[in-house]
DNA sequence: CGGGATCCTAATAGATACTG
DNA sequence: CAGTATCTATTAGGATCCCG
């Protein structure tokens, strides 16, 4: 049996730590559709994210080399984001997961209801 | 552009809310290897998880119909867990993601270092 | 053995105000 | 416009004790 305890070097933990937060996966999918997008464009597409969390999420994705950030030094400032090659290479796997989610969401919701009903 | 704001019905958000927590993905992968496992066996395999979080995680997976739970009413109690068909159907997609993580982990770590160095 | 109940802390996320 | 800084609320997670 494999060793699942070394969090530091475990690729499983490594990948879910990055995309498993509240917004990263969503931002990646939005950037895939938009190709090149300004900060405010992303924000408009995901209205429910706060400005702070969008900043934090983009910085984390940038640090991992999944998203590139281009600053145009003008006033008012203009900053563009787009997927890097590494970021693009991740997307098929995300879509695979999303596809499964779409196919199973209805049944899962039903299971949750039944499970909750059993407890009462 | 798609609507990414309805969290309740968004399959993306739905799937990451389930597998994006600290332990779910790991438990699913362990159960795949072990096939049928008792609570204590899973706990031994993932030493770093607390008893409480293993309980919470297994309950959530059970509620979603990804894992089945069989109780043998004896003393001391014996409880066995295994993947359901739905759980098994999710695993290829997780492996797809893990594969990507393995391939890219080294480069990502390097990117993080460089990014951190730029800030100083 | 497989939890449940309780308490506590740390990490995460949101609101708001401010700025080059 | 694209953030930063600060503060607060919420949540996830861990430690400990208990019980059939």
């Amino acid at each position: 049996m494999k060793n699942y305890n070394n969090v530091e070097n475990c690729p499983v933990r490594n990948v879910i730590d990055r995309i498993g937060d509240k917004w990263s996966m969503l931002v990646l999918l939005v950037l895939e559709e938009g190709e090149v997008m300004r900060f405010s464009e992303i924000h408009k597409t995901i209205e429910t994210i706060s400005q702070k969390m969008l900043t934090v999420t983009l910085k984390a994705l940038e640090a991992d080399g999944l998203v590139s950030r281009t600053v145009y030094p003008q006033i008012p400032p203009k900053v563009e984001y787009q997927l890097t090659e590494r970021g693009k290479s991740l997307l098929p796997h995300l879509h695979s997961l999303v596809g499964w989610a779409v196919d199973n969401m209805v049944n899962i919701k039903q299971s949750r209801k039944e499970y909750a009903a059993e407890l009462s």
Side-chain angles (χ1 to χ4, degrees), chain A residues 25 88-98:
Chain A
M25 195 164 160
K88 286 178 189 168
S89 74
L90 173 56
L91 272 152
H93 305 103
L94 297 189
H95 283 298
S96 153
L97 212 53
V98 171

Side-chain angles (χ1 to χ4, degrees), chain A residues 37-55:
Chain A
M37 294 177 82
R38 298 182 63 167
F39 186 91
S40 51
E41 283 184 276
I42 305 174
H43 204 173
K44 260 184 285 179
T45 309
I46 315 176
E47 294 169 356
T48 44
I49 194 174
S50 68
Q51 194 181 39
K52 173 191 161 186
M53 287 315 298
L54 182 53
T55 302

Side-chain angles (χ1 to χ4, degrees), chain A residues 13 16 34 46 48 59 64 67 75 77 79 89 94 99:
Chain A
R13 292 297 309 280
I16 60 174
I46 315 176
T48 44
K59 279 201 184 306
D64 281 10
V67 161
I75 293 176
V79 181
S89 74
L94 297 189

Side-chain angles (χ1 to χ4, degrees), chain A residues 13 22-23 25 49 63-64 77 83 85 98 100 109 111:
Chain A
R13 292 297 309 280
K22 198 168 178 183
W23 301 109
M25 195 164 160
I49 194 174
D64 281 10
L83 295 178
E85 286 309 308
V98 171
W100 181 90
K109 283 196 172 183
S111 294

